[in-house]
Amino acid sequence: MDNILLTSKSKSLVALHGCILVYGHFSTIHPGHIRYLKHAKQISIPLVVALAGDGKPGDEQRYPFTQAERAESLKLLGIADGIFLLDKENLEEAILSLRPRELILGTEFQKASWLKNPLRTLQKQGGKVQFHAGEVSYATVELLDSSESDLKSKRKAEFIATCKRQNLSKKDIINSIDSWKNTRLVVLGDTVVDQYAACEALGMSAEAPVIVVKELAQKTFIGAAAIVAAHVRALGAQCHLVSVLGQDDEANLVSNQLQKQDIQSSLIIDPDRPTTFKKRYMVENQKLFRVSRLEDHALSLEMENIVIDKLTRLAPNTDGIIISDFVYGVITPKILRAVTKLSEAYNIPLFGDVQCSSQVGSIRRFKDFALLSPNERELRLSYQDKESGIEVLSQRLIKESMCHYLLVKMSSSGFIAYERKQDGSVYSQPFPALSVNPLDVTGAGDSVLSCMSIGLSSGQGLMATAALSSCIAAIAVESVGNTAIDARQLIQKFDEYFDW
């Protein structure tokens, strides 16, 4: 079909009878929309998108982009076979014109009262409805369909288009990085020591069906809250780390690394727990398994009071507090309440991330933060919801937590940046993942949290900071282990992708 834009007066509608119909405003297309559209197209073809209209001339514009602009974005995706331009949000108009065999709607529409008449019309025509947001996946298959160079070029083009859409100035963004040196941040959270063991595979054991490896070399890194602090300092800002360690060699290693990297710290020694230690065994850059040594019980009352005292002393002279919660016991309810009170007393923005792989942790316990930065898995775990669309869950978290900014990391699909406006409306913009074949994703989220926190604390806008965060994540996954990324590396990567 040469012209895929349709109205109720189009002559080609008969050819589309029996189509699969989807509906939405598609104001800012993000990975969740693409999942939804691909799911619908897998059911059958042709696929037609019923696109919500702008309303009558003089009406207040409901969406950031006009219907024509949104239709153009959908065309560029190349997924839909037709785009039906609705007058306002009259879905029944599309159903009557196209007589679809099936209408696929996002799960957020299940309780929409206005759908009663459109669905009645659909049923009379013999069609059926399905509520589905698309299959959730935390991995990518894009490299099966494209070469690495082609995929990299595609991601770069998406990044440039996003920056243009946001009217970002390359010169202004690079200049703003220089102002980060005046920013003072406190990082609070769990510290982890990460060790990587490079091994040679010897074969299968005769004793049991297990792989036998020979350890060749090992390298140790500071991780979790410690690497967040290291990123902050390397990017130019002043930083003070508050964390709890054990009475062991790993604690000494952390202390020495922080001193070498010129990071101020208040490291509280807890004799009742070891410093969290994770060792990853690798063969040819492939991780075989990980062994962790940790205690994740909550801090004692005495330890809590020491942490709160340290924070109270630091609060008057800080521009922001970053909470890096790996759910190993440092961020207790009492400490979180104390941080919130300090934030209110000194007008300090809070930036938070909860990194967990189970139901134990939840980003939902962070309230009134400037920024929350969960990944999709963590967001879904916090609501125990794997069915709803990412947009629904994101909007729900923003409303409940009253965070000003939200960054939802979506692995190989990049991330979506959300901003809550003063009138309560929410604006979003997806950013692509710039690395197409990452070597080690461990710590990418830490680098993003660091970059976002510095940028927002220094007065930089959300979208400019998000663009830089997209670049720092690409750097972080290009090497094995957690290494602090400095401002020079960030500018170089940004210059590589923002070359127009």
Side-chain angles (χ1 to χ4, degrees), residues 23-316:
Y23 166 79
H25 59 80
F26 298 94
S27 185
T28 303
I29 296 175
H30 56 67
H33 289 137
I34 295 173
R35 284 180 189 166
Y36 169 55
L37 294 172
K38 286 184 175 180
H39 166 75
K41 190 148 189 174
Q42 285 176 349
I43 296 173
S44 183
I45 55 174
L47 171 66
V48 179
V49 177
L51 184 62
D54 299 324
K56 296 179 180 178
D59 287 352
E60 183 179 352
Q61 187 169 322
R62 297 189 58 187
Y63 311 115
F65 302 101
T66 66
Q67 186 184 53
E69 291 170 326
R70 290 180 278 127
E72 186 62 28
S73 295
L74 283 168
K75 282 177 63 177
L76 291 174
L77 281 180
I79 300 175
D81 300 298
I83 301 170
F84 193 98
L85 304 178
L86 295 174
D87 179 21
K88 288 191 174 181
E89 297 177 345
N90 186 10
L91 179 58
E92 193 168 5
E93 176 189 4
I95 293 172
L96 288 168
S97 300
L98 294 165
R99 304 184 67 84
R101 58 178 284 193
E102 192 163 352
L103 171 65
I104 314 295
L105 294 171
T107 53
E108 66 269 27
F109 291 109
Q110 283 180 305
K111 297 181 180 179
S113 59
W114 64 268
L115 274 173
K116 186 178 296 184
N117 287 335
L119 294 185
R120 186 181 293 118
T121 300
L122 178 70
Q123 188 177 25
K124 286 180 180 179
Q125 294 178 167
K128 61 180 182 178
V129 64
Q130 177 188 149
F131 295 95
H132 202 296
E135 294 297 328
V136 175
S137 174
Y138 303 114
T140 181
V141 295
E142 286 183 293
L143 281 173
L144 295 179
D145 302 318
S146 305
S147 68
E148 187 171 332
S149 60
D150 287 346
L151 190 53
K152 186 174 182 179
S153 297
K154 177 186 174 184
R155 299 269 182 91
K156 180 177 179 178
E158 290 174 0
F159 179 74
I160 291 174
T162 298
C163 292
K164 285 183 176 179
R165 188 179 302 118
Q166 297 300 328
N167 296 315
L168 300 182
S169 163
K170 180 178 180 179
K171 181 180 178 181
D172 290 346
I173 290 176
I174 291 178
N175 288 341
S176 70
I177 295 175
D178 186 58
S179 69
W180 290 1
K181 63 186 178 185
N182 300 318
T183 303
R184 300 161 299 177
L185 296 175
V186 169
V187 177
L188 168 67
D190 308 283
T191 287
V192 174
V193 172
D194 291 307
Q195 189 174 90
Y196 288 75
C199 303
E200 176 188 357
L202 300 181
M204 296 295 292
S205 170
E207 301 172 356
V210 294
I211 298 173
V212 179
V213 299
K214 176 184 178 182
E215 187 171 325
L216 303 175
Q218 61 186 34
K219 191 170 183 179
T220 307
F221 305 86
I222 55 174
I227 190 61
V228 171
H231 285 309
V232 169
R233 187 69 189 100
L235 289 169
Q238 299 299 314
C239 184
H240 194 113
L241 171 66
V242 179
S243 191
V244 179
L245 306 177
Q247 200 165 15
D248 47 34
D249 292 340
E250 284 73 28
N252 295 331
L253 182 148
V254 172
S255 179
N256 291 335
Q257 284 294 316
L258 295 175
Q259 289 180 21
K260 286 181 181 179
Q261 298 180 51
D262 190 29
I263 301 167
Q264 295 179 309
S265 63
S266 297
L267 302 178
I268 300 152
I269 302 301
D270 184 353
D272 293 333
R273 70 175 68 228
T275 302
T276 300
F277 178 81
K278 299 178 181 180
K279 186 169 184 176
R280 297 168 175 85
Y281 291 84
M282 305 181 68
V283 173
E284 298 291 340
N285 290 329
Q286 297 295 320
K287 295 176 187 174
L288 294 180
F289 60 91
R290 188 187 81 194
V291 178
S292 297
R293 183 172 69 242
L294 59 91
E295 291 289 341
D296 58 2
H297 59 268
L299 297 180
S300 66
L301 178 62
E302 178 186 3
M303 289 292 152
E304 285 181 318
N305 289 335
I306 295 173
V307 170
I308 292 170
D309 180 64
K310 297 289 186 184
L311 293 171
T312 303
R313 294 172 185 270
L314 292 168

Side-chain angles (χ1 to χ4, degrees), residues 1-25:
M1 189 181 301
D2 294 329
N3 184 11
I4 68 170
L5 299 183
L6 308 164
T7 69
S8 58
K9 298 180 180 180
S10 298
K11 296 180 180 180
S12 56
L13 293 179
V14 175
L16 293 170
H17 282 186
C19 68
I20 301 298
L21 183 65
V22 298
Y23 166 79
H25 59 80

